[in-house]
Amino acid sequence: MNQKIFSLSELASIIEHHRQAGRRVTLANGCFDLLHVGHIRYLQGAKAVGDILVVGINSDASVQQLKGAGRPVMPDAERAEIIAALACVDYVTVFESLTVEPLLATLRPNFHAKGTDYTTETVPEREIVRRYGGEVVIVGDPKDHSTSALLSKSRGGNAENQG
């Protein structure tokens, strides 16, 4: 098993040690079904906000519920391994719920990083973050990249690929 991938209970203990050492923890999350440059810029931006970057990855079941039939393209163990291989990522955990709220409640990161398709006021989890004293931050580049668009293009949804 990868040395960066942990269950939520294991991660809670690790993060508490970092917190006691004065390190600021950032949590980023997503499906990360097919890694693209938008994901990289989001994760690098999240890492720049704090000292430790934890990435929560949606489980296969939650991705299917969120994205529909045919998703995920890759199983959660492989998605976790790919994200864990990135230098900017310190820890990875796979979560089953449809929202990241259980991770936020357990880990209580200093920062909850979301992509630029949100504002600090539209982040669904903003209230739980505020309740425990954390801060919602918006990071990454404009939302010009998506796995859904890549999949559409690879399936011939782009006229340039036909013929």
Side-chain angles (χ1 to χ4, degrees):
M1 181 165 226
N2 187 297
Q3 294 178 340
K4 291 184 180 181
I5 303 171
F6 294 92
S7 70
L8 182 56
S9 61
E10 293 169 323
L11 199 51
S13 175
I14 293 167
I15 295 306
E16 186 54 35
H17 288 298
H18 284 296
R19 192 181 333 281
Q20 289 176 2
R23 295 184 193 96
R24 296 171 307 150
V25 177
T26 303
L27 175 69
N29 68 284
C31 298
F32 303 103
D33 200 6
L34 288 179
L35 196 61
H36 56 70
V37 71
H39 291 137
I40 299 300
R41 293 171 182 165
Y42 164 58
L43 294 173
Q44 288 173 333
K47 175 64 174 189
V49 172
D51 304 308
I52 303 295
L53 176 58
V54 176
V55 179
I57 296 180
N58 291 78
S59 70
D60 292 344
S62 66
V63 172
Q64 186 172 19
Q65 284 187 276
L66 292 166
K67 303 292 184 175
R71 301 282 298 274
V73 175
M74 293 187 296
D76 51 30
E78 290 180 14
R79 291 183 283 123
E81 186 175 340
I82 289 167
I83 295 299
L86 299 173
C88 63
V89 174
D90 296 296
Y91 301 103
V92 174
T93 192
V94 175
F95 65 98
E96 297 291 332
S97 62
L98 292 179
T99 74
V100 73
E101 286 188 8
L103 271 72
L104 291 165
T106 300
L107 300 178
R108 299 172 44 120
N110 302 84
F111 306 103
H112 177 42
K114 295 299 270 188
T116 57
D117 47 335
Y118 292 95
T119 68
T120 56
E121 292 307 311
T122 62
V123 170
E125 307 87 14
R126 69 188 175 283
E127 290 307 318
I128 190 171
V129 174
R130 288 177 182 158
R131 275 197 302 272
Y132 71 72
E135 181 181 344
V136 171
V137 294
I138 306 301
V139 299
D141 66 349
K143 183 86 172 170
D144 295 334
H145 317 281
S146 79
T147 298
S148 296
L150 285 173
L151 288 171
S152 175
K153 188 174 181 179
S154 73
R155 292 179 179 138
N158 182 339
E160 293 175 7
N161 289 343
Q162 297 176 3

